Amino acid sequence: MHKFIFLNKNIILLLLGQGFSGAVVSLLTFSSGLAGKWLLDGVLYSKAPSCPNCYSSSFATFPISATLCGAFIAVLFSSNLMQKFGKKKVFLWASLIGALGAIFAIFSLINGLFYLFCFATFLLGFFTALNQFYRFLASEALSLATQNDKNRATALIVAGGIMGGVLGPNLANIGTMMFEAPFAGSFLFALLLCVINFIITLPLALTPLKPTNQLPKAPLMTCIKEPNFILATMACAFVALHSDVCTKLISGIFSKEFITF
């Protein structure tokens, strides 16, 4: 059956969903810090010319931090929500929340509202968190397939992240100067990606897996004390720190160019 995995409707939809949601992730990584820097330079600093020391460019990474916070909250509750309402409904609602966040981002960039922009990226964080769940849907998308075919399908879905990594930064770059307000076009593309993700999720047909005998759930504190959990959390923290530092460097490099906006 593995020869027909590429032609399976569900797998193609999951592949596209992985790619488009991944594009939003990379778009936010490219644009959020720079947009925050521009908002701070053009709004906060101009409102307080008599107090230049009150301005701090380190606030430029607040939007990225807000995205990570939104993703963290979404991950905490997503599994329970999927069990209660179904994975498809959760993906649809996440796309709507992401679209709402993109609309808020465009509005805040046009009107120079930094804190609303942070809230917008917080909402987009809910959408980006669902990017991590597409790979786990191969089993439900191919309910009658062998385990080997499901593994192949999972690998194919994960490969959709390559498309997102290429598409997101290019769309962000194209949209940077599309409108008078810098980066408004970038978040317009984020809005379109969320809408497309919503559309391709509608025809997705998933077959819920049959419940199996499960061991009793371990208490949360027991899981937190596990060495593997601690190591994995530290690894994610270092990756997030690396992203934050890189964004600050990029913001500093391009700040002179954006000061003319």
Side-chain angles (χ1 to χ4, degrees):
M1 181 179 175
H2 64 271
K3 295 181 180 179
F4 302 98
I5 289 178
F6 293 96
L7 302 178
N8 185 279
K9 181 193 73 172
N10 287 329
I11 298 303
I12 293 175
L13 292 175
L14 291 174
L15 171 67
L16 293 175
Q18 177 81 28
F20 289 135
S21 61
V24 175
V25 175
S26 56
L27 185 150
L28 290 173
T29 303
F30 180 92
S31 299
S32 294
L34 296 174
K37 180 70 166 60
W38 173 77
L39 282 172
L40 289 169
D41 281 340
V43 181
L44 297 182
Y45 188 67
S46 63
K47 290 182 179 179
S50 60
C51 183
N53 294 328
C54 298
Y55 164 76
S56 175
S57 60
S58 62
F59 291 171
T61 55
F62 276 13
I64 295 180
S65 299
T67 300
L68 294 176
C69 290
F72 173 74
I73 294 175
V75 168
L76 282 180
F77 299 101
S78 57
S79 295
N80 291 332
L81 292 174
M82 286 180 181
Q83 290 180 359
K84 185 175 182 179
F85 300 106
K87 296 182 177 65
K88 182 175 178 178
K89 288 184 178 180
V90 173
F91 275 84
L92 290 172
W93 277 106
S95 298
L96 291 177
I97 293 175
L100 181 64
I103 292 173
F104 282 158
I106 296 171
F107 179 82
S108 61
L109 288 167
I110 294 175
N111 294 277
L113 304 173
F114 176 74
Y115 294 109
L116 179 61
F117 181 70
C118 292
F119 177 69
T121 57
F122 173 79
L123 292 180
L124 281 163
F126 283 81
F127 173 73
T128 61
L130 272 297
N131 173 258
Q132 307 300 322
F133 288 90
Y134 280 99
R135 69 195 72 178
F136 302 118
L137 300 182
S139 297
E140 298 185 20
L142 298 173
S143 57
L144 301 179
T146 63
Q147 187 59 45
N148 187 44
D149 287 332
K150 292 179 181 179
N151 294 338
R152 291 174 181 267
T154 300
L156 179 62
I157 293 170
V158 173
I162 300 175
M163 179 179 71
V166 174
L167 184 63
N170 281 282
L171 290 179
N173 184 49
I174 294 172
T176 299
M177 297 300 297
M178 184 178 293
F179 302 108
E180 183 178 354
F183 304 104
S186 301
F187 284 89
L188 176 61
F189 283 124
L191 172 61
L192 293 176
L193 289 171
C194 291
V195 172
I196 293 174
N197 217 286
F198 180 88
I199 294 173
I200 65 177
T201 303
L202 287 174
L204 189 63
L206 300 176
T207 303
L209 300 177
K210 296 180 179 180
T212 57
N213 294 329
Q214 297 179 347
L215 297 175
K217 293 183 179 180
L220 178 61
M221 291 305 300
T222 302
C223 297
I224 293 176
K225 293 178 182 179
E226 283 290 325
N228 290 335
F229 175 83
I230 296 174
L231 289 174
T233 303
M234 292 177 62
C236 291
F238 280 120
V239 171
L241 177 63
H242 176 266
S243 175
D244 184 75
V245 171
C246 288
T247 304
K248 287 182 179 180
L249 290 174
I250 294 173
S251 299
I253 291 172
F254 289 101
S255 60
K256 291 184 179 180
E257 178 183 350
F258 292 151
I259 199 70
T260 59
F261 288 168

